[in-house]
Amino acid sequence: MHPVPQLVAVIFVLLLTALSVNLLARRSGLPYTVLLVLVGIGISFLSDNVPSLANMESALSISPDLILFVFLPTLIFESSYNLDTALLRRNSVQILALAIPGLLLSTGLIGVIIWQALDIGLVASLLLGAILSATDPVAVIALFRQVGAPGRLSTLIEGESLFNDATALVVSKILLSILAVGAISGPQLAGGVVDFFVLFAGGLAFGVALGYICGLFIGWLDSNPVFEISLTIAAAYLAFLIAEEVLHISGVMATLGAGLLLGSWGRLRISASVQDSLGHFWDVLSFVSNALLFLLLGMQVDLLELARSWDLILWVVLAMLVSRAIVIFALLPLFDRLPGVKPVGFGYRFIMFWGGLRGAIALAIVLSLTDYPFKDLFVALVTGAVLFTLLVQGLTIKPVLSLLGLDKASLADRLALFERDLEAHQLAIERLPALQKGGMFSSRIAHRLSLRSRQAISKAKRKIKRFRQRELGHDEELNLFFLRALAEEKSHYQQMFDAGHISEGSMRRLLLVLDHQIDTLKYGNGFEDINGHRHYEFIEHWLFRLIGDRTPLQPMVERLRISHINRYYEVVWGHFQGSRHVLNSLEQLAQLESTPRDIVDQVLERFRHWNNLASDKLHRLNQDFPELARLLQERLGKRIVLLAEIDTTREQARLGTLAKGAAEQIEVSLQRQLKGLRGLPIPQLDDDPAKLLRRVPLFSRLSQPELEKIASHCEALTLEKHDQLIQQGSRSDRLYIVSRGIIRLHSTCNASEQHLSTLIAGDSFGESALMGELRAPDTSMVAQTPARLYTLSREHLNQLMAANPEMASRLRRSDARQRQIHGIEAASTATAPGDRDRG
């Protein structure tokens, strides 16, 4: 046959073999990856006697490039995309400790043991130690997903495996350069340290940047599954190829960075209709890559060579196990003592020790060695060590998990299984009458099925009751029910986002609050530690203060502030809708789960509190910024109409009353319109500075034309909540008039803060500074809510007064009158500082 047809035939024969092995693994309960390796060994063993199998083995032999550039990008990207970033962040200290100092320590320990036991030089032994110290993400991830390891344990092992290959590759490169020179020098070690940080951090940074660019492009597309899925493929492989071949940094770290970013930040930008297809696509791609890779690993094994080197392999395995034990049981506990780090228990540590499998990465490194005298020996030793971890450790990891009690589902998962039976049979009882109404369905069969379902419901309720009595205390019950409520709220936010009712930025803020609450319940001290529905302030306060309000960039700063007001309004509205949805569905959820009444009341009380807070904020914003309320309602109505048109178009296409091509074109147009309505644009805020000036005593005696002239020199200023307008002790030469919102004046003295007064719409501050008083104010001004103000500078007022002497005279007389009035009030009533400036 032609080489290309032969290659295609071999690939698909191996794929069919892998599918058969997968079916066998499901029925036998044995690890799928281990069975693949065994089948690969069988193919390699039979290839000497069966010519067709010999052709198969020669047509597709394993090579480092095949592992690194074909299989690894797929497997790394799929794993990092689906990795729980919250768990990764919480365990980052332990993961990085194992990936960097842990791997370096393991390299040294394996190297010293092999140097002492075998006739191999120290540097060469260290090179072998570096090759064998990297736990393989491919083997570990595939195995742990199959055996169902606990979430935190899986994250610790997967995270270490994904991060530590960069360390192994860099250390191997340094040791190879030392072997080439023949001696260890200081400059070589220093250069190696620099290379490590460049490769490791540079690869991660490049991957994150590429993932961000890919996410931006995905967000601009109109729900096109072909383009969105293709972009993720390009991100995975381009990240690896460009990093390795062009930038000469870690390709695995680059692919890891791209996958982590797209799986966290970028997931919201992927269309809801595409996310399921994208997940299925990468599942299939990962399955194919895993299947072929482990079959090829097995076919690579030379049993005769392993038999000749069995004594050396035993020393290598012993060194590998000893070094792994020291890293896990001696080094890791040191990092567990750091503040804020949750310790890893003995059971988890033992599984991390026994589950540190080696695989494709080690083989790829050793096969890439060129013109090296120990290459053949190293290939045999590494192959034997990899085979030991896969067959011995891989086959026993599941029983060890069971022995340590780590294969049991969590309380929430176990309760969910009982509730699944309850909900399923309740739904069946509801649907059975519809079969009878349709006719031609035996009422006797329907009655019998209904009776069975009722018996199953009673049985499920008894199981749930016993489970709660034996396994759940009051705090656990409260946490579980609260988690259900938060999950319901999160689901509602996702529906609102998918329908286009909230923007991407608002959705991220809502999810940040929710994820913080969920993490506190799961990993914190329970219910009382959860913060209320306060929204997170991601406003660049420092940037606004740095730029200031009197620079050429002031218009840009003003637009940014108005945009943040819009987003704040949308977040508050989202909080209101989400908490109201939970309040409406919580009673039904409580009845379904038979949750104790006192627990339901506690959660209801918390959500009512959050809903009231959001309602109060929304009411205040509607008063201060009616444009936002009107715009939100208009956009909501338009989106509802467009969504109805989309549903109608899809239904007509399904029934065949509308041609499929025409329906697709119509839906694309409707989706584009819907996307244009997502979020809130910056509206024009309508207020009249001349009317506000009339309320300031300093300007009360001026004519309307004079007020309008002054108003034309006023500058609009929009503040986000908690923005600081004036800092105590700083000089100001401006008048501030509040148009909307609330401004608080306070003073700090002897480390204690004193509230002075509150400014609302129509109030003013700074008449004295405007008219020339140089004393620095003894108050600070901070926005308590989103606020809109107008400011007038002394420079502009002086120009107007110079051009109109008569107006200047009236302003000076008015200023003197106000000083006299407030001076008398201060002497007789001792008013608080700042009252004179309220006007």
Side-chain angles (χ1 to χ4, degrees):
M1 290 191 296
H2 191 275
V4 173
Q6 181 183 3
L7 183 62
V8 173
V10 168
I11 290 174
F12 282 97
V13 167
L14 290 178
L15 185 57
L16 290 174
T17 303
L19 290 171
S20 303
V21 172
N22 184 264
L23 293 176
L24 177 62
R26 291 186 178 186
R27 297 197 174 189
S28 65
L30 295 173
Y32 170 56
T33 53
V34 174
L35 286 180
L36 285 173
V37 173
L38 291 175
V39 171
I41 293 174
I43 294 173
S44 176
F45 181 76
L46 294 173
S47 62
D48 296 335
N49 302 317
V50 182
S52 60
L53 292 179
N55 292 334
M56 177 186 295
E57 187 177 18
S58 62
L60 195 63
S61 60
I62 195 168
S63 69
D65 288 343
L66 184 67
I67 296 174
L68 293 175
F69 294 101
V70 178
F71 295 130
L72 211 54
T74 291
L75 297 168
I76 296 295
F77 183 87
E78 189 271 340
S79 175
S80 57
Y81 179 82
N82 293 308
L83 200 61
D84 189 333
T85 53
L87 278 176
L88 181 66
R89 184 173 59 253
R90 284 185 168 273
N91 297 282
S92 58
V93 172
Q94 289 104 328
I95 288 172
L96 292 177
L98 292 171
I100 302 175
L103 188 136
L104 295 175
L105 176 60
S106 176
T107 298
L109 291 172
I110 294 176
V112 169
I113 293 174
I114 292 176
W115 174 50
Q116 292 292 326
L118 307 180
D119 188 19
I120 301 176
L122 176 60
V123 178
S125 299
L126 290 173
L127 174 61
L128 185 59
I131 294 172
L132 291 173
S133 292
T135 56
D136 181 24
V138 179
V140 176
I141 293 165
L143 183 62
F144 270 71
R145 285 184 181 174
Q146 185 178 357
V147 301
R152 189 190 182 205
L153 179 59
S154 295
T155 301
L156 283 167
I157 297 183
E158 290 181 25
E160 177 199 1
S161 301
L162 289 169
F163 279 93
N164 68 6
D165 89 290
T167 312
L169 289 168
V170 173
V171 173
S172 301
K173 180 181 176 181
I174 296 170
L175 292 171
L176 280 171
S177 65
I178 293 174
L179 280 172
V181 174
I184 301 176
S185 63
Q188 280 182 316
L189 293 176
V193 173
V194 173
D195 285 345
F196 167 74
F197 284 105
V198 170
L199 289 168
F200 191 91
L204 186 62
F206 172 70
V208 168
L210 189 64
Y212 179 76
I213 294 172
C214 179
L216 291 180
F217 277 108
I218 288 176
W220 295 335
L221 299 173
D222 296 319
S223 302
N224 191 316
V226 174
F227 281 109
E228 294 185 40
I229 294 174
S230 299
L231 277 174
T232 60
I233 300 173
Y237 279 91
L238 284 179
F240 195 94
L241 289 170
I242 295 175
E244 287 285 344
E245 299 298 311
V246 178
L247 302 177
H248 303 293
I249 51 181
S250 173
V252 173
M253 292 304 300
T255 305
L256 173 65
L260 286 176
L261 190 82
L262 287 173
S264 53
W265 169 84
R267 195 178 291 269
L268 278 180
R269 302 184 67 84
I270 299 171
S271 307
S273 58
V274 178
Q275 286 191 14
D276 288 341
S277 301
L278 180 66
H280 294 324
F281 171 82
W282 279 103
D283 285 343
V284 171
L285 206 60
S286 175
F287 171 82
V288 173
S289 298
N290 263 317
L292 295 178
L293 180 58
F294 280 99
L295 278 174
L296 293 175
L297 280 176
M299 293 166 62
Q300 176 69 27
V301 175
D302 187 341
L303 295 178
L304 293 177
E305 183 65 28
L306 293 181
R308 286 194 291 266
S309 307
W310 68 270
D311 54 339
L312 303 180
I313 292 174
L314 284 180
W315 277 108
V316 170
V317 170
L318 177 64
M320 192 170 59
L321 292 177
V322 169
S323 66
R324 182 69 178 171
I326 293 174
V327 168
I328 295 298
F329 294 106
L331 178 67
L332 187 60
L334 299 178
F335 290 88
D336 287 346
R337 299 176 182 176
L338 295 176
V341 175
K342 183 180 179 180
V344 179
F346 174 81
Y348 276 30
R349 289 205 299 270
F350 188 85
I351 295 299
M352 293 171 70
F353 156 69
W354 197 243
L357 308 185
R358 275 68 167 179
I361 294 295
L363 278 177
I365 297 175
V366 75
L367 289 173
S368 64
L369 300 177
T370 56
D371 300 328
Y372 183 63
F374 288 107
K375 179 177 179 178
D376 292 337
L377 176 61
F378 275 23
V379 169
L381 295 179
V382 171
T383 302
V386 169
L387 200 60
F388 173 85
T389 62
L390 288 175
L391 298 183
V392 178
Q393 295 175 247
L395 284 172
T396 57
I397 192 71
K398 192 173 183 179
V400 173
L401 276 170
S402 179
L403 183 64
L404 295 173
L406 296 177
D407 59 341
K408 293 182 179 179
S410 65
L411 291 177
D413 291 340
R414 290 158 66 189
L415 181 60
L417 289 175
F418 297 142
E419 291 169 349
R420 186 203 70 84
D421 294 337
L422 180 64
E423 294 177 29
H425 288 287
Q426 285 178 334
L427 186 61
I429 290 175
E430 294 175 3
R431 291 181 176 179
L432 279 173
L435 288 176
Q436 292 179 278
K437 288 181 181 179
M440 301 301 291
F441 190 85
S442 170
S443 60
R444 181 178 299 178
I445 295 176
H447 177 72
R448 187 165 63 247
L449 292 175
S450 177
L451 182 62
R452 289 178 182 176
S453 292
R454 294 184 190 280
Q455 292 173 347
I457 289 172
S458 300
K459 184 178 180 181
K461 286 183 176 180
R462 289 194 298 269
K463 287 183 178 179
I464 293 173
K465 184 177 180 180
R466 286 197 302 268
F467 177 77
R468 284 192 164 122
Q469 290 173 347
R470 296 175 182 177
E471 303 286 346
L472 298 181
H474 181 273
D475 291 341
E476 290 83 1
E477 187 86 55
L478 177 62
N479 283 2
L480 286 176
F481 189 66
F482 204 104
L483 283 171
R484 298 291 175 85
L486 293 177
E488 187 72 22
E489 183 181 8
K490 189 171 185 177
S491 174
H492 187 67
Y493 289 150
Q494 189 64 54
Q495 292 175 8
M496 293 172 65
F497 177 74
D498 293 342
H501 298 331
I502 53 178
S503 65
E504 181 184 333
S506 299
M507 180 65 172
R508 292 190 189 281
R509 292 194 186 185
L510 291 167
L511 291 183
L512 279 171
V513 176
L514 212 53
D515 289 341
H516 169 73
Q517 293 169 336
I518 292 172
D519 285 353
T520 306
L521 270 177
K522 284 184 176 180
Y523 312 113
N525 296 322
F527 183 84
E528 296 301 328
D529 284 346
I530 295 180
N531 294 323
H533 259 212
R534 62 181 182 86
H535 80 286
Y536 279 56
E537 314 294 341
F538 284 94
I539 311 301
E540 299 87 348
H541 296 295
W542 62 271
L543 177 62
F544 292 156
R545 289 196 295 268
L546 180 65
I547 296 176
D549 301 315
R550 295 174 292 280
T551 68
L553 296 178
Q554 196 276 334
M556 180 192 71
V557 174
E558 177 65 11
R559 285 195 299 272
L560 285 174
R561 281 175 163 156
I562 294 177
S563 176
H564 290 146
I565 295 289
N566 294 344
R567 186 169 296 172
Y568 176 81
Y569 185 97
E570 195 175 57
V571 169
V572 172
W573 181 76
H575 278 160
F576 175 76
Q577 296 292 336
S579 56
R580 188 178 66 172
H581 171 77
V582 175
L583 288 174
N584 292 335
S585 59
L586 210 56
E587 287 289 355
Q588 181 180 358
L589 186 65
Q591 292 176 3
L592 181 65
E593 299 183 1
S594 303
T595 305
R597 189 68 237 176
D598 62 322
I599 289 176
V600 177
D601 290 339
Q602 286 187 62
V603 178
L604 279 172
E605 181 183 358
R606 186 58 62 97
F607 273 92
R608 286 195 190 101
H609 172 66
W610 289 340
N611 185 255
N612 290 335
L613 286 178
S615 178
D616 292 343
K617 291 178 182 179
L618 204 57
H619 180 71
R620 181 68 192 180
L621 285 167
N622 287 337
Q623 285 185 330
D624 290 338
F625 300 93
E627 300 94 336
L628 297 181
R630 183 175 63 252
L631 182 62
L632 182 65
Q633 293 169 14
E634 290 178 356
R635 288 297 173 102
L636 180 60
K638 291 178 180 179
R639 284 193 293 264
I640 294 297
V641 172
L642 287 173
L643 288 170
E645 291 187 47
I646 291 173
D647 290 341
T648 303
T649 303
R650 290 174 178 174
E651 181 64 16
Q652 288 181 339
R654 187 185 69 83
L655 296 174
T657 57
L658 185 64
K660 184 178 179 181
E664 289 177 351
Q665 291 182 357
I666 293 173
E667 184 171 346
V668 167
S669 175
L670 293 173
Q671 289 284 3
R672 189 176 293 113
Q673 295 178 54
L674 191 64
K675 189 174 181 179
L677 290 172
R678 185 185 293 276
L680 291 171
I682 301 174
Q684 295 294 325
L685 300 181
D686 184 21
D687 42 21
D688 187 356
K691 291 181 180 178
L692 295 171
L693 285 170
R694 174 69 69 184
R695 300 184 61 176
V696 180
L698 179 66
F699 303 107
S700 61
R701 296 180 180 273
L702 298 184
S703 64
Q704 187 62 28
E706 290 172 333
L707 286 174
E708 292 178 356
K709 184 70 173 177
I710 296 175
S712 66
H713 287 76
C714 289
E715 300 172 1
L717 180 62
T718 306
L719 299 180
E720 179 78 46
K721 183 181 179 182
H722 299 321
D723 272 348
Q724 188 172 53
L725 186 62
I726 295 178
Q727 186 174 2
Q728 183 175 344
S730 61
R731 296 187 179 276
S732 175
D733 62 351
R734 286 183 167 251
L735 168 72
Y736 296 92
I737 312 172
V738 180
S739 173
R740 309 171 190 208
I742 300 174
I743 304 294
R744 180 183 177 186
L745 278 69
H746 63 86
S747 177
T748 302
C749 183
N750 297 327
S752 63
E753 184 178 299
Q754 180 184 7
H755 172 64
L756 301 178
S757 60
T758 300
L759 308 183
I760 60 175
D763 290 343
S764 60
F765 181 89
E767 292 96 321
S768 299
L770 181 68
M771 294 303 294
E773 185 176 308
L774 298 178
R775 179 176 61 86
D778 54 359
T779 60
S780 295
M781 295 179 66
V782 179
Q784 292 299 104
T785 67
R788 172 85 163 177
L789 300 93
Y790 279 91
T791 71
L792 178 64
S793 67
R794 184 192 306 161
E795 178 184 0
H796 285 150
L797 183 63
N798 287 341
Q799 293 175 359
L800 293 171
M801 291 171 65
N804 191 338
E806 183 179 351
M807 182 186 72
S809 178
R810 288 200 299 274
L811 285 175
R812 292 190 181 96
R813 288 197 301 270
S814 178
D815 180 58
R817 188 181 304 108
Q818 291 299 314
R819 289 175 185 273
Q820 182 181 12
I821 292 172
H822 285 281
I824 295 173
E825 289 178 356
S828 59
T829 62
T831 55
D835 285 348
R836 178 231 184 259
D837 282 333
R838 282 195 60 183

